[in-house]
Amino acid sequence: MKPRKPLDAQVPYNDLDLTRWKQYEEIWTDSLWDIPSRARGDGHKLEYHGNFVPQIATQVFQRFTKAGEVVLDLFLGSGTSAVEALRLDRRCIGVELKPELVDHVRTRLAGHEDRLVLLCGDSGSADTAAAVRTALAAWDGDYADLLVLHPPYADIIRFSERDACLSNAGGAEAFYEAFRRVAAQGYELLRPDRFAVLVIGDKYEDGELVPLGFECMRVMNEVGFRTKSIVVKNIEGNEIGKGRTSNLWRYRALRGGFYVFKHEYVMIFDKPAKRARGRRSG
């Protein structure tokens, strides 16, 4: 009988000791995430519509980064990624279109400037990409180690009046093209052989399901990313403030022949060392 091959002790993209893999009960590896409520404390607050739950950041940061590595969030919002990166001893570069949100996060996380860079700008623009590279160079780096994308779910919530905001794209195709520009920038800024996470949901429009999640996955693939996993996460615990738990939505579903969304997607991608032939970055 051949001797059993020893288990690999570690992968190059996290700090987990795989000889102790059974002990990591806090690390989720299933594709269904049931999160009863949004985590609070440790700097997290429910203070902004559309922000994603900290538990997502916790899981993907532990799975796909090491301590001291750089998380790049191109839709920073109220700063969930920044708070969790600092808590887990990572660094973060966050890009946000709204200057008032950038100022809010900067004030909230003052004192961590050695591990946090906040940039105000359009994540799909060349100027913003140059600013990210400047921030990476100041940390003696060329690439981010994890890319986080949590775009608006098209026009479900209007986040600003700015033309560059994806919630003002003006139709599905315009939204996908605007998202493509951001995804392509993220691809170029991410270290090869590392991971990207996309948090996205779907929507209904004119009586028809609009599969934003799978369309954005297609865009990610077209700019060069490979799909690794699709996680389905419940959103029930975060929908109370939007009235989604009311009987009105049940009535509308029964009347309209649809089902009420109780999920969103956490899609995991990687950036291959070499771009697949036929894929484009912009």
Side-chain angles (χ1 to χ4, degrees):
M1 179 181 295
K2 292 183 178 179
R4 180 177 296 178
K5 183 179 179 181
L7 294 175
D8 292 333
Q10 196 170 23
V11 294
Y13 51 81
N14 64 38
D15 290 322
L16 303 180
D17 178 359
L18 296 183
T19 64
R20 301 172 49 241
W21 64 274
K22 292 183 180 180
Q23 300 176 33
Y24 291 112
E25 296 182 358
E26 74 280 10
I27 305 294
W28 305 336
T29 55
D30 295 331
S31 63
L32 180 62
W33 291 2
D34 184 4
I35 303 175
S37 62
R38 190 179 192 277
R40 303 196 186 192
D42 293 321
H44 295 293
K45 301 177 182 178
L46 183 56
E47 58 186 355
Y48 184 67
H49 53 274
N51 54 358
F52 71 99
V53 300
Q55 292 94 319
I56 296 175
T58 302
Q59 290 298 316
V60 298
F61 291 3
Q62 290 183 120
R63 280 291 304 276
F64 302 117
T65 62
K66 297 181 177 183
E69 290 191 333
V70 179
V71 174
L72 171 62
D73 189 333
L74 293 180
F75 297 96
L76 184 66
S78 62
T80 297
S81 289
V83 171
E84 198 62 9
L86 295 175
R87 188 182 76 84
L88 294 174
D89 194 26
R90 275 68 173 163
R91 293 176 289 174
C92 180
I93 299 174
V95 180
E96 170 55 43
L97 187 62
K98 297 173 68 173
E100 61 270 28
L101 270 181
V102 175
D103 291 341
H104 170 73
V105 177
R106 182 172 288 119
T107 299
R108 179 181 171 192
L109 299 178
H112 296 284
E113 290 78 10
D114 59 328
R115 292 190 292 140
L116 177 64
V117 174
L118 300 175
L119 302 172
C120 184
D122 173 7
S123 290
S125 74
D127 288 344
T128 298
V132 172
R133 293 197 183 281
T134 298
L136 289 167
W139 285 337
D140 297 322
D142 298 317
Y143 296 101
D145 301 293
L146 176 70
L147 174 67
V148 176
L149 300 172
H150 185 215
Y153 300 175
D155 58 356
I156 292 178
I157 297 175
R158 299 281 185 176
F159 285 95
S160 79
E161 299 301 319
R162 295 171 175 82
D163 291 340
C165 181
L166 269 66
S167 65
N168 297 321
E173 292 307 316
F175 172 81
Y176 301 139
E177 188 54 38
F179 177 70
R180 180 188 304 277
R181 290 193 291 272
V182 179
Q185 297 275 38
Y187 183 93
E188 297 301 331
L189 293 166
L190 180 65
R191 188 179 308 282
D193 287 327
R194 298 306 290 264
F195 292 83
V197 56
L198 167 65
V199 182
I200 188 73
D202 299 321
K203 73 167 195 168
Y204 285 110
E205 185 174 292
D206 298 328
E208 181 179 3
L209 171 69
V210 180
L212 293 177
F214 293 106
E215 290 295 333
C216 288
M217 181 179 72
R218 171 183 59 82
V219 171
M220 293 287 283
N221 295 154
E222 289 176 352
V223 303
F225 290 102
R226 299 188 306 181
T227 305
K228 296 288 287 185
S229 293
I230 299 175
V231 173
V232 177
K233 175 208 160 289
N234 71 312
I235 57 175
E236 291 182 84
N238 302 297
E239 291 296 280
I240 295 174
K242 302 175 186 177
R244 296 291 175 86
T245 59
S246 68
N247 289 330
L248 177 60
W249 279 96
R250 176 170 167 77
Y251 167 78
R252 289 174 175 172
L254 290 169
R255 184 176 183 275
F258 64 87
Y259 291 86
V260 180
F261 289 131
K262 291 192 175 182
H263 71 277
E264 62 187 347
Y265 306 107
V266 181
M267 296 180 170
I268 309 298
F269 305 84
D270 72 353
K271 175 183 175 177
K274 293 183 179 180
R275 189 190 301 273
R277 185 173 299 177
R279 292 184 176 179
R280 61 191 182 95
S281 61

